[in-house]
Structures are given as C-alpha cells and as structure tokens.
Amino acid sequence: MGYGLLWPNPCYLPHTTIKESGRMSELATTLDLERIEVQATDKTVFGFWVYLMTDCVLFAGLFAVYAVLHGNTFGGPSGHELFKLPYVLIETMVLLTSSFTCGLAMLAAQRRDRTQVLLWLGVTFLLGLTFLGLELSEFRNMVLDGNSWRRSGFLSSYFTLVGTHGLHITFGLIWMAVTAVFTLKKGLTHGILKRLTLLSLFWHFLDVVWIFIFTIVYLFGGLSI
Amino acid sequence: MLATLLGRLNWDQLPQDAITRGGAGSIVFGALGIIALITYLRRWKWLWKEWLTTQDPKKIGVMYIIVALVMLLRGAGDALLMRTQQAVASGSTAGPLDSYHFQQIFSAHGTIMIFFVAMGLMFGLINLVLPLQIGARDVAFPFLNATSFWLFFAGMALVNLSLVLGDFSAAGWLAYPPLSELKYSPTVGVDYWIWALQISGVGSLLSGINFLVTTLKMRAPGMTLMKMPMFAWSVLASMSLVAFAFPILTVTLTLLALDRTLGTHFFTAGMGGNAMMYVNLIWAWGHPEVYILVLPAFGIYSEVVATFARKKLFGYASMVWAIWAIVLLSFTVWLHHFFTMGAGADVNAFFGIMTGVIAIPTGVKIFNWLFTMHRGRIKFSTPMLWFMGFVVIFTIGGVAGVMMSVPAIDYQVHNSLFLVAHFHMMIVGGVVFGYFAGLTYWFPKIFGFRLNERLGRYAFWCWGVGFTMAFVPLYILGLMGATRRLDHYDASLGWQPLFIVAGLGVLILAAGIGFQILQLVVSIWQRDGNRDLTGDPWNGRTLEWSVPSPAPVYNFTSIPVVAERDQFWEDKQAGKKPVARYEDILLPKNTGAGIWIAGFAFLIGFGMIWHMYWLSVVALLGVVATIVVRASDDEPEYILTAKEVEKMDHALARRGSQYV
C-alpha cells in the first residue's frame, strides 16, 4: 500500500530525546527549543481558555435548567425556606480567599520561589477542602431533612447545579495535590509553571461560577426575588 | 453481595430471539474474525506500535474513517431491515420484525448514522487534511487527538455491545422523555444510548477544542485567516459550533442519566419535572449539530469544485461571511423541530422566520459554487460527481425544509415521512455525499494511489439513483398522511406501492455501497498502476498537494511560507520549483495512554448501565491515574534529525515527487 503510511514510525528509530527540564537540551539540535516551549505554552493556555469557555456553556445550561425548574417545588420547600444565607456567606468567603491565596501562589511562581508556591498552594487546598466540607455538610442536612434531589424538580436542579460546581472543585483539589507533588519533585520547570498557570485559571474560573451561583441561587432564592 | 457486584447483569440479558441472535452473531463473529486474521498474520505488535498508539493525525484519521465506514454498514443494515418491514407489512401481512425490534432498529439507525458515521467521517477527514492544508505538522494537542479517537471508539463499542448484552434504546435517536424515563424504558437500552453518546461526546468536544486551536494558532507563516483554504474556514466554524453545542448535550444526557439512576425529577412526568425542557435542550444541541456536520462538507465542496473546474473559488469573502452567518443563525432556529409542542403563534413565528433566513447563506454558497463552475474547464471526476449529486438532492431537500419552516405547513407534516425525506436529503445529499467526495479526493494523498474511477462512477450513480428512488416516494407518503416510525399500516391506505418503490431504491443504494467496497478492493489490488507519483494527482490548489503522496509523518520537510491564497497553485503557475530544506523536527512519541483512558471510560459507562457502580468508581480512578501517569512523562516528544528527514524524503522523491 502507501509507503509513508506503512513505514515504521520513526520514533522507534534510534533517536534523540529532549529532557523536559527548562534547560536546553544537551544534545546538538538545530531546533530552537526555547521558542518551541514558549509557543507550546501559548497554545496550551489558549486551548485551556477555550475549554473553560465550553465549561461556561455547560454551567450556562445548568443555570438555564435551574431557571426553568426553580419554581417547581411540588409542595416541598423553596429556596427561601431552605437556604441559610449567613452559612453560605462563610462558604463564599472561604472560596474567595482561596482564590486570593491561589493568586499569591502564582506570584511566588513568577518569582521562582518554590517554597512559597507550595505554601500558598497548600493554603489554597485547605481552604478549598473547607469549602467542600461546608457544602457537603449543607447537602447532608438537607438530605436528612427529607429534602434531597428526589423531592422535586427544583431540588433536582439545585443539587445538580451546585453539585456540579462542587465536583469541579473536587477535581481541582485533586489536580492541586498532584501538581504540588510534581512541584516538590521536579521544581519549577517550564512545564510545571505552565500547569500552575492552567490550574490557577481553573480555580479562578470556579470562583467566578460560584459568584453566579451565590447570586442567582442563594441571593435570589433566599431573598425570594 | 452478588447483586451489588453484578448489578443488573444476568444470563437472560444475552440474546433471546432469532433476530437479536443474528445481530449479536454478526458482531461477535466479525470481531473474532478480525482478531483471528491479525493473529494469523502475526501483526499484533505492528498494529499496536504503528496504529493503535499513534499520535499522527493522518493515521488517527484513517482509523476514524474505518470505524465510521464499518458503522455505515451497520446503519445501512438497519435501514434495509426497516425498508423491508415497511414494504411488506401492509394490512394483514406481518413483516419480518415485531415492534420490539423495529423500535430499537430505528433508534439505533439514527444514533449510529449521526454519532458514529457522520461525526466519525468528519473528524477523520479533518485529521487527515487540516494540518496539511494550513502548513502545519500536526494538530495543536496530539495526545488529546488520539484520546478523542479512542473515546469515540469506546462509545462505538458500547453501542455494539448492546446487540450482545441487553437491548438498545427504543426511544428514537434522541430519546425524548417521558418515554426515555425509567418508568417507560426500564431496561438498559436507554442507558446504553446515554453513555455511548456521553463518552464519544467528550471525545468530540475535546476534538473541537483541538482543531479550533490548531486553525487559530498553527497556520503557516504568512497564512492569514483570509488566505486559508475554504475547508479550513469551514472546520474553524464547525469546531466553534462544537465548543458551544456539545456542552449542552453533556448537560442534557447527564440530567437524563440522573433521572434514571438517582431519582431526580428533571424530565419526569410528575414531581416538578418538565419533559418539554428536554426537547428544548436536546434540540439546542441538535440543530447546531447538523450544521457541525454539514459545514465541513461544504468546505470539501469548495475545494473540489475549485479544483475540478480549474478555476479559483468564486466569492471567497462572501463564502466566509455565509459560513459565519450560518454559525450564528444555527443557534436561533432550534424550535422548528417542535413547532407543534405548543409554544404559541408568536414564538413559532420567530423561529419560522429565522429558519427561513438561515437558508439564505446556504443558498449564497451554492450559487458561489455554481459561479465557480461557470466558464471553468470542468473535469467530472468522481469527487465532482458527488458534488453534482449534492446540488440536486440537497436543493430538493432544502426546499422541503423551507416549506416546513412555515409553522402552519409544519403542523400538517411534522413527524411524517415528508420530514424524514427532508432530513435524509440534507444529511445524505449534503453531509454524506460531501464526505464521500472528500474521501475520493484525498485518498491518494494519504495512501499514495488513486481509487478506481470507473467503480467510483458506478458507486455514485447507484447511490444517486437509489437514494432518490428511496426517498422521493416518502415525500408523497408524508403528504398522504404516513407518520414516521410505523412498522405496520392499513392496506386500504394505498401506501404499499410507494413503500415498495422505496424498498427497491434502497436495494440500488446497497449496490452502490457494494461498488464502493469493490472499488476499495480493486484499487488496492491495482495500486501499482494507480500510483500518485507527483503528490498532486488532481492538479490541486492548496498546500496539501505540495507534499509527496503518501504524506510522510512530518508532513513538510520545512514549513512553507505563504504569501497569498492558493499559494501552491500560484507557485505552479509561476513555474516555481520547491526547494527541499531539511531541519530537525520535533514529533510526539507514540503512547497507549489514550487507549487506557478510553478503556476506563468504557468501563465507567458499562458500570453505570448495568448498575455495577463499584466498577464505575474504580474505572474513574483509573482515568485519573492514567492522566497523572501521562502528566509525569517528562519526554513525550522526540527529535527526528535532519539527516533522517532527508533520507525519508529521498525515498519518496525516488518515486517521482516534485522534489526531484
């Protein structure tokens, strides 16, 4: 058949490899590895922004569903009766602070201060975990009172919207832990810096989504607008 | 304990009757046959090293297309069964199928054709062609690209597994609730549908992001957006649509899955659910989806018409405008799929008008193609024939669509065979013919030899005549009152003759498919006589024709510099000979991580379907673990030295490429 298609992949030939370490490859090559690295980071960050926008559409869909269903309480409680705004305020402050500490981690990364990066990442992680704990506790109380997602269309949409955000936070925390381990082991290489950038974008994005949830679900619902 | 472990799995989920056994048998023996063949030829290692772990978009594209064409056979088989049923089951005559099977067959037919044939061919062709056309070596994210293919494969595997274990959805290709809710569809069928689409949908979304970034960030130096080939524009537009539309599908499938597993009330008939919301959500995805499918086909037509009319594309700028008008408008028409659901005259009027408006940019494109042909020196090679078939069939179907955009008319023909004829003419005439044209057109670039022209012509005519014969009677039947998805009808209606004509049409169409298979076999057999020695078998205009055929893994020895549209054509007219420069090239190493991720995704789906939730949780951890392992890989790329590139290029040049 076609030669090129059925040729053995050259990656199995004796070849040179590059070491992903932020240093120039020790092996002689005409490739401008620095420039390639910069272009790759540019592409990856841009691609991640595009992904975040699709995630935005996902949340928009869930918000739309919430908008349609938020009145369908089927005789059960509405947001006004369920939401405890002071509690939610604490949750919000925790998450906003975690966004701030994430920013501090990124500033430390720009200064190439590995210890500070790990410190602030750790604080961010703990705050995120606290947020999750508070949210799960809120969910648990609602479920124990008989107001689970099975109770009505409203509650289905509430748990799914807020729960999806919580799931994203969970994945963010796992990602944060893994990145922290990598940073510990490899130091602040080009690749690690790129990943920290993506992680912080993700974390801030989740914060923005929470602002929308806080406003539309809790404030509007709780104040029964 | 066993119940938790095995969920809903038990022995009577295996095929219980003749028809299901037949279907299951074909899948099982087909798969066993392929495994036996590979083992006999002792090619497992080769297959794994060269194809399954590849990051080369050309090979990934070939794999997409192979899967899509195999699924085309399955979807066509479904169609044959349905046509036979409807031609026979008049009055007291029973057809070969009972309702239980018929409903699964039409549901499977639509699901397979849209999600696995059309999407598969589309992503396959984009993988093959896009990087070459924009002067790039690869897509933006090669590993994501491979993973997307394997997720697509995992979804396909689930759909085919439903033939062997359990049943498939009987709720149509879009699974409207309340029918698709647990109460009315208690079996695993709808769950198979949900998870096959969810998994392959994630693959599609990732591909959308990938190709979008590729087109925006990896064009050759000098290739501004307005100098891109039209196919590249259409891909950019289609992938933008993917980015906006597919998250909606993800949400909708999730909500239906939650209703069916966790007892939520999104779409249930009571407890505050809203079934009409599903219809809105699914079509808010569904309508952009059909434009996702057709825009790359339009892009292919632009390439094919310009090449075979030996004339530059007429109205490049207006083509770009038309594409983006279609993209924007495609989000404003979704309600035309359910005028009869009761939104009221005002809402219906808005969507009816927007539906009529969206026909305009499409018309602009068709006129531009015809103006391109005007005063060209047209060669009616097979790709051009597919285009001509498209003009006729798509226009007829489109006119029917504009008719139905008027709500008052739609009330008469909604969900009738008139509708079925319309959308088949759009999808087959528009999308499928376009992808067939693309396959024939770009085949030499990927495989190094041309397809047999004569058999291609026979295939086209059988498709064209057979398809027309199969669907024009459906317009008449629809106007006579025939609803869609009927497995039986009263003899006094006088429908049977038309159904018989339609059935004969499908047989001719099947002959067309037979000719395509024959064409492939004969072309491979005769490949030495049909070699593409120059890399430019059609006297093309765009960059992909400037590399040798088959295109090597690195695409270009050095990235071309572009100064104008159709740079390659301009260079040829000016008599400029390409100069081979050799440099070190960075390429991604092969990896099996994408297969692992998709394999775990398959298990997540399998676990959710069969209520083996422990399996889904474990598999999810597996996905996370694979991603972490992949992320810890410090050397995902390798350098191909200039000397090796020179060696490979000379091997190709010896056979007469332009670089000699």
Side-chain angles (χ1 to χ4, degrees):
Chain A
M1 266 224 244
Y3 296 6
L5 207 65
L6 293 185
W7 271 343
N9 188 306
C11 87
Y12 297 111
L13 296 172
H15 57 263
T16 54
T17 59
I18 60 165
K19 302 240 176 272
E20 200 255 41
S21 60
R23 301 189 300 274
M24 287 286 283
S25 164
E26 292 113 27
L27 303 141
T29 171
T30 57
L31 286 170
D32 185 351
L33 291 172
E34 274 287 315
R35 197 176 59 97
I36 292 178
E37 190 82 62
V38 167
Q39 278 175 338
T41 304
D42 177 49
K43 250 188 328 182
T44 310
V45 173
F46 179 67
F48 195 75
W49 268 110
V50 177
Y51 155 70
L52 283 180
M53 293 305 103
T54 68
D55 222 4
C56 216
V57 177
L58 191 123
F59 277 107
L62 290 171
F63 274 110
V65 170
Y66 180 82
V68 171
L69 292 184
H70 80 276
N72 293 19
T73 50
F74 200 68
S78 70
H80 182 63
E81 287 136 45
L82 283 171
F83 302 148
K84 298 175 186 47
L85 286 182
Y87 188 84
V88 176
L89 185 64
I90 298 173
E91 269 182 311
T92 309
M93 285 300 117
V94 168
L95 197 64
L96 257 60
T97 312
S98 80
S99 231
F100 175 66
T101 55
C102 185
L104 291 176
M106 285 314 290
L107 287 174
Q110 271 166 22
R111 292 192 312 266
R112 302 288 189 276
D113 186 343
R114 184 164 70 152
T115 325
Q116 287 268 307
V117 167
L118 288 169
L119 171 71
W120 288 117
L121 222 54
V123 174
T124 310
F125 182 88
L126 287 171
L127 288 169
L129 206 61
T130 311
F131 171 86
L132 215 55
L134 290 170
E135 187 164 88
L136 284 170
S137 173
E138 186 192 357
F139 280 4
R140 187 171 172 274
N141 289 338
M142 286 173 70
V143 172
L144 288 176
D145 284 340
N147 296 321
S148 77
W149 50 85
R150 298 171 207 257
R151 179 68 184 81
S152 64
F154 156 67
L155 281 165
S156 297
S157 64
Y158 165 78
F159 274 99
T160 306
L161 174 57
V162 181
T164 303
H165 176 266
L167 262 172
H168 277 77
I169 294 278
T170 309
F171 279 115
L173 290 175
I174 296 174
W175 186 3
M176 213 178 287
V178 172
T179 310
V181 170
F182 281 177
T183 312
L184 199 59
K185 287 175 66 182
K186 304 184 191 179
L188 290 172
T189 63
H190 250 118
I192 299 287
L193 285 168
K194 180 173 71 179
R195 291 192 184 142
L196 283 168
T197 309
L198 301 181
L199 176 60
S200 71
L201 279 176
F202 188 64
W203 199 251
H204 294 308
F205 168 74
L206 288 178
D207 206 28
V208 171
V209 173
W210 178 256
I211 304 291
F212 276 92
I213 293 180
F214 177 67
T215 311
I216 296 175
V217 175
Y218 290 106
L219 283 186
F220 286 9
L223 302 177
S224 132
I225 290 174
Chain B
M1 168 71 190
L2 209 63
T4 333
L5 217 56
L6 291 177
R8 301 196 267 186
L9 268 181
N10 67 66
W11 290 114
D12 33 275
Q13 294 296 338
L14 286 168
Q16 300 293 315
D17 58 67
I19 293 180
T20 328
R21 284 198 177 128
S26 61
I27 296 286
V28 170
F29 286 116
L32 286 176
I34 294 172
I35 293 172
L37 186 67
I38 301 173
T39 313
Y40 174 74
L41 295 170
R42 271 194 274 258
R43 292 287 217 163
W44 282 110
K45 201 157 168 221
W46 170 84
L47 195 70
W48 178 261
K49 277 173 64 177
E50 296 297 332
W51 285 91
L52 302 185
T53 57
T54 187
Q55 309 288 294
D56 179 1
K58 295 183 290 299
K59 289 195 172 158
I60 292 173
V62 170
M63 290 195 288
Y64 262 117
I65 291 170
I66 292 175
V67 172
L69 291 177
V70 170
M71 292 305 269
L72 176 65
L73 293 177
R74 206 193 132 178
D78 286 333
L80 263 162
L81 283 169
M82 287 191 284
R83 275 282 132 261
T84 312
Q85 174 74 18
Q86 291 187 324
V88 164
S90 165
S92 54
T93 323
L97 302 166
D98 57 6
S99 290
Y100 171 72
H101 288 111
F102 187 80
Q103 287 167 23
Q104 288 175 57
I105 287 173
F106 69 65
S107 307
H109 171 80
T111 307
I112 287 172
M113 290 302 207
I114 298 279
F115 289 97
F116 297 100
V117 179
M119 295 295 279
L121 287 176
M122 177 182 84
F123 283 132
L125 283 165
I126 296 175
N127 264 298
L128 291 182
V129 175
L130 183 72
L132 281 166
Q133 264 203 348
I134 61 174
R137 298 198 189 288
D138 206 331
V139 295
F141 309 114
F143 174 69
L144 214 62
N145 194 23
T147 309
S148 293
F149 166 72
W150 287 110
L151 288 170
F152 165 79
F153 190 90
M156 181 275 299
L158 277 174
V159 169
N160 282 309
L161 187 63
S162 72
L163 269 181
V164 181
L165 212 56
D167 57 4
F168 192 67
S169 165
W173 79 281
L174 282 181
Y176 283 7
L179 177 60
S180 56
E181 292 278 356
L182 217 50
K183 183 155 182 226
Y184 300 104
S185 290
T187 65
V188 292
V190 174
D191 297 303
Y192 265 119
W193 180 85
I194 289 174
W195 288 99
L197 265 54
Q198 190 75 292
I199 293 170
S200 58
V202 170
S204 299
L205 183 60
L206 294 175
S207 283
I209 299 172
N210 212 341
F211 295 128
L212 201 141
V213 177
T214 307
T215 328
L216 286 177
K217 288 284 182 181
M218 292 181 71
R219 279 165 285 127
M223 188 186 277
T224 60
L225 284 172
M226 287 306 271
K227 298 203 180 102
M228 272 202 310
M230 198 47 65
F231 179 68
W233 265 119
S234 68
V235 170
L236 181 61
S238 172
M239 297 302 111
S240 310
L241 274 175
V242 168
F244 274 102
F246 267 81
I248 304 175
L249 179 70
T250 311
V251 167
T252 315
L253 292 173
T254 307
L255 299 184
L256 187 62
L258 286 173
D259 269 7
R260 288 178 63 88
T261 31
L262 283 185
T264 49
H265 292 289
F266 289 104
F267 312 119
T268 52
M271 302 286 289
N274 188 337
M276 290 196 283
M277 184 172 62
Y278 179 94
V279 177
N280 274 278
L281 284 170
I282 203 73
W283 280 114
W285 164 81
H287 196 84
E289 162 70 0
V290 306
Y291 287 102
I292 289 168
L293 291 175
V294 91
L295 283 176
F298 285 171
I300 294 174
Y301 291 134
S302 292
E303 303 297 339
V304 164
V305 173
T307 302
F308 290 99
R310 257 92 55 108
K311 197 160 152 275
K312 80 169 194 238
L313 185 67
F314 184 93
Y316 181 98
S318 63
M319 287 296 234
V320 176
W321 169 88
I323 287 178
W324 289 103
I326 292 173
V327 166
L328 252 69
L329 289 169
S330 69
F331 279 102
T332 63
V333 300
W334 80 87
L335 195 130
H336 71 224
H337 298 274
F338 46 92
F339 280 134
T340 58
M341 198 162 77
D346 294 336
V347 173
N348 279 356
F350 169 79
F351 284 96
I353 293 171
M354 296 316 288
T355 308
V357 169
I358 202 174
I360 297 175
T362 313
V364 165
K365 296 182 80 64
I366 296 190
F367 279 119
N368 277 345
W369 291 318
L370 295 176
F371 289 151
T372 309
M373 289 172 72
H374 176 63
R375 304 194 96 134
R377 295 168 309 143
I378 307 170
K379 190 163 195 295
F380 284 100
S381 305
T382 309
M384 199 58 185
L385 288 176
W386 289 113
F387 168 74
M388 300 306 296
F390 150 79
V391 173
V392 174
I393 292 178
F394 190 82
T395 306
I396 299 175
V399 165
V402 174
M403 267 179 69
M404 286 191 293
S405 76
V406 178
I409 298 183
D410 185 75
Y411 264 71
Q412 298 299 312
V413 290
H414 174 67
N415 270 353
S416 69
L417 289 181
F418 190 90
L419 168 72
V420 172
H422 156 74
F423 68 67
H424 277 91
M425 290 209 157
M426 306 307 267
I427 301 180
V428 176
V431 176
V432 178
F433 279 25
Y435 293 158
F436 284 165
L439 285 176
T440 321
Y441 182 57
W442 281 306
F443 187 92
K445 178 51 56 189
I446 301 302
F447 288 100
F449 59 96
R450 267 190 281 197
L451 288 167
N452 183 293
E453 260 297 302
R454 177 132 54 97
L455 291 172
R457 267 203 299 280
Y458 293 170
F460 162 72
W461 283 109
C462 286
W463 263 90
V465 169
F467 177 82
T468 310
M469 217 171 124
F471 281 95
V472 167
L474 262 57
Y475 280 123
I476 306 170
L477 281 166
L479 291 173
M480 285 167 77
T483 355
R484 69 193 292 193
R485 300 173 175 170
L486 285 178
D487 62 31
H488 177 268
Y489 50 89
D490 209 78
S492 64
L493 291 162
W495 293 347
Q496 189 170 34
L498 287 166
F499 274 120
I500 292 176
V501 173
L504 292 172
V506 164
L507 288 176
I508 298 176
L509 200 157
I513 296 182
F515 275 121
Q516 285 173 310
I517 298 174
L518 193 62
Q519 182 193 36
L520 198 57
V521 172
V522 168
S523 304
I524 296 173
W525 194 265
Q526 296 180 334
R527 63 190 178 277
D528 285 318
N530 276 336
R531 288 254 179 247
D532 171 21
L533 293 172
T534 60
D536 186 15
W538 309 113
N539 197 12
R541 310 178 72 90
T542 40
L543 281 175
E544 73 266 31
W545 306 110
S546 71
V547 302
S549 294
V553 65
Y554 48 78
N555 286 356
F556 301 90
T557 53
S558 55
I559 301 292
V561 175
V562 169
E564 48 192 320
R565 243 173 248 163
D566 291 347
Q567 180 68 53
F568 179 61
W569 178 263
E570 300 304 330
D571 284 349
K572 280 196 291 186
Q573 303 315 305
K576 259 177 67 182
K577 277 266 168 269
V579 175
R581 280 189 340 261
Y582 302 112
E583 54 197 28
D584 288 351
I585 297 177
L586 199 66
L587 290 169
K589 280 201 269 193
N590 280 15
T591 171
I595 304 178
W596 283 101
I597 292 176
F600 283 127
F602 175 86
L603 290 176
I604 293 175
F606 188 87
M608 293 304 290
I609 293 167
W610 292 102
H611 293 180
M612 298 159 68
Y613 299 120
W614 61 269
L615 181 61
S616 302
V617 171
V618 169
L620 183 61
L621 293 174
V623 172
V624 174
T626 313
I627 295 176
V628 173
V629 168
R630 167 69 186 178
S632 64
D633 184 355
D634 274 338
E635 300 174 5
E637 292 160 319
Y638 71 101
I639 298 176
L640 193 63
T641 56
K643 263 230 282 288
E644 283 167 353
V645 176
E646 186 172 355
K647 219 164 48 177
M648 288 172 75
D649 193 47
H650 281 158
L652 287 164
R654 260 202 298 279
R655 292 165 40 250
S657 90
Q658 300 189 284
Y659 286 88
V660 174

